[in-house]
């Protein structure tokens, strides 16, 4: 693929199901995560900020610097100055289904194969940033007559706009072109400074309050080549680090289960299948308290799927892995000839 401009939609949704018991996966050591890289203030600094969708049954935070979610509520909501929900469902419950997610994009530029990431669980560098203020600010839109700001909000009410898609639109534009070491550190894998692919990402997210649409968020990504060079063999990945559980449980990461559902039985009749391509995650038992489910139990299943792609022949792959501070306890996709020592 030679990239000029492409667009694709991602659908993040919640399915509410009764939790079932399954084997727990090996625990990652959440406490070993490195803190995210802090962007310094300054006139020409990228204006990094966030917003939280709150009109539906999901409270979901997006940012304008390459990642989604609030990193276990480590980001603050600039409209309320409170800890921002990450992917809370039901809204107001305190039950979270996401630590953070991020776009990873790779391409061949000239003779070099490059990858830019919005975030990485073990590498503290961010490689995507917005413009300085005010150009880098997140745009807010609504198709309501008026969308009032949150309680105790510093953010203004939003009036109807013609180009709004949903009741609450957030539009963020960011780039992988920042190379200033004040913002982008050395890559932890190859040990060199960040080399941009040269892309601009326009990220739009939409949410609704209607019963049929309140349990999902739509995201539309437009990717534009601003490098001045041809980019070949483009690959895009959506990295998702979930950590399912109630905020009162501390680190609920050690018993999540995940999978990929390619097809489901179709309503067209016996023998027919519908292709859905949903990557999903859940807590393995729903976190019952004293043998019973209560308001702190994570009994939902969250899923991610691509609902519109630039090509009808788009190919999907799904991988999952357990990250651990002790390398011998890492588990994930490997080449067949790789020797992996697994320690239970």
């Amino acid at each position: 693929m030679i990239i000029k401009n492409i667009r694709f939609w991602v659908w993040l949704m919640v399915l509410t199901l009764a939790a079932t018991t399954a084997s727990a996966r090996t625990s990652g050591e959440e406490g070993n995560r490195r803190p995210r890289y802090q962007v310094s203030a300054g006139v020409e600094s990228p204006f990094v900020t966030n917003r939280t969708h709150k009109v539906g049954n999901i409270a979901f935070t997006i940012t304008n610097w390459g990642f989604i979610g609030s990193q276990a509520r480590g980001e603050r909501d600039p409209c309320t100055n409170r800890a921002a929900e990450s992917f809370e469902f039901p809204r107001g419950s305190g039950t979270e289904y996401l630590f953070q997610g991020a776009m990873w994009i790779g391409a061949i530029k000239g003779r070099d194969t490059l990858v830019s990431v919005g975030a990485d669980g073990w590498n503290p560098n961010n490689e995507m940033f917005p413009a300085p203020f005010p150009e880098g600010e997140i745009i807010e839109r609504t198709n309501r007559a008026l969308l009032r700001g949150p309680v105790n909000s510093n953010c203004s009410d939003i009036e109807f706009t013609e180009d709004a898609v949903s009741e609450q639109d957030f539009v963020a534009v960011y780039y992988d072109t920042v190379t200033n070491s004040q913002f982008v550190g050395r890559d932890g894998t190859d040990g060199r400074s960040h080399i941009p692919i040269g892309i601009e990402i326009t990220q739009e997210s939409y949410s609704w309050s209607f019963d049929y649409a309140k349990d999902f968020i739509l995201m539309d990504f437009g990717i534009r080549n601003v490098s001045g060079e041809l980019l070949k063999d483009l690959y895009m990945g959506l990295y998702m680090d979930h950590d399912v559980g109630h905020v009162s449980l501390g680190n609920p990461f050690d018993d999540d289960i995940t999978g990929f559902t390619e097809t489901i039985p179709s309503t067209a009749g016996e023998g027919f299948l519908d292709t859905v391509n949903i990557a999903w995650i859940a807590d393995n038992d729903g976190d019952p308290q004293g043998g019973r489910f209560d308001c702190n139990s994570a009994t939902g299943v969250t899923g991610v799927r691509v609902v519109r792609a630039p090509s009808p022949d788009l190919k999907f792959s799904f991988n999952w892995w357990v990250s651990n501070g002790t390398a011998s306890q890492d588990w994930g996709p490997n080449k067949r000839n790789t020797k992996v020592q697994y320690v239970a």
Side-chain angles (χ1 to χ4, degrees), residues 6-323:
I6 61 174
R7 298 187 73 89
F8 69 103
W9 283 24
V10 173
W11 182 22
L12 298 96
M13 59 187 174
V14 178
L15 307 173
T16 306
L17 304 173
T20 56
T21 301
S23 299
R25 63 187 177 96
T26 304
S27 66
E29 295 186 3
E30 193 77 8
N32 287 342
R33 290 187 194 275
R34 301 175 187 174
R36 68 175 178 81
Y37 189 83
Q38 298 290 336
V39 175
S40 301
V43 175
E44 296 302 317
S45 295
F47 182 67
V48 295
T49 188
N50 62 74
R51 290 292 187 275
T52 303
H53 285 282
K54 295 182 180 179
V55 300
N57 205 22
I58 299 169
F60 171 53
T61 293
I62 62 94
T63 78
N64 66 349
W65 52 310
F67 66 91
I68 58 177
S70 65
Q71 300 176 322
R73 305 199 175 192
E75 298 291 318
R76 300 200 72 80
D77 184 338
C79 297
T80 63
N81 200 32
R82 299 172 181 169
E85 298 89 342
S86 201
F87 194 91
E88 180 190 61
F89 176 83
R91 181 164 59 89
S93 67
T95 302
E96 292 281 9
Y97 289 85
L98 179 66
F99 175 82
Q100 71 174 357
M103 185 65 64
W104 291 3
I105 299 178
I108 296 175
K109 180 181 178 182
R111 300 182 64 182
D112 206 351
T113 300
L114 303 173
V115 177
S116 293
V117 301
D120 183 338
W122 290 101
N123 188 332
N125 289 334
N126 295 85
E127 297 176 340
M128 299 180 184
F129 290 97
F133 183 84
E135 292 83 4
E137 178 64 281
I138 294 173
I139 298 171
E140 303 178 54
R141 305 182 306 208
T142 184
N143 60 14
R144 289 185 183 181
L146 179 68
L147 180 63
R148 296 195 177 278
V151 178
N152 298 325
S153 171
N154 293 322
C155 296
S156 303
D157 295 343
I158 307 300
E159 296 183 353
F160 171 83
T161 51
E162 290 284 351
D163 54 350
V165 175
S166 72
E167 293 179 87
Q168 190 173 46
D169 295 6
F170 296 139
V171 183
V173 180
Y174 46 89
Y175 309 81
D176 80 330
T177 54
V178 175
T179 57
N180 188 332
S181 61
Q182 181 183 10
F183 309 120
V184 186
R186 298 182 70 83
D187 187 277
T189 301
D190 57 26
R192 69 183 183 182
S193 300
H194 171 58
I195 301 176
I197 297 173
I199 51 175
E200 172 195 85
I201 299 176
T202 300
Q203 169 192 288
E204 302 189 14
S205 52
Y206 315 123
S207 60
W208 295 265
S209 63
F210 308 114
D211 285 345
Y212 61 83
K214 65 184 180 181
D215 290 348
F216 65 81
I217 305 284
L218 275 174
M219 300 191 73
D220 184 7
F221 294 91
I223 301 173
R224 187 162 71 98
N225 180 1
V226 295
S227 71
E229 302 180 39
L230 287 178
L231 303 178
K232 300 178 182 180
D233 294 341
L234 180 81
Y235 282 80
M236 294 175 290
L238 189 60
Y239 148 75
M240 301 291 284
D241 183 353
H242 289 272
D243 300 357
V244 179
H246 195 270
V247 292
S248 64
L249 298 180
N251 291 325
F253 57 85
D254 61 354
D255 63 346
D256 295 342
I257 54 175
T258 186
F260 186 81
T261 299
E262 184 176 5
T263 61
I264 59 173
S266 174
T267 57
E270 185 176 354
F272 290 92
L273 296 174
D274 288 331
T275 300
V276 292
N277 289 327
I278 297 174
W280 59 266
I281 196 162
D283 186 88
N284 77 328
D285 64 357
D287 292 335
Q289 304 297 315
R292 296 183 178 182
F293 297 117
D294 60 20
C295 59
N296 293 340
S297 298
T299 57
V301 180
T302 57
V304 178
R305 65 164 298 190
V306 176
V307 294
R308 188 186 73 179
S311 168
D313 299 321
L314 185 71
K315 295 182 179 180
F316 295 91
S317 68
F318 168 79
N319 286 303
W320 67 271
W321 65 95
V322 176
S323 297

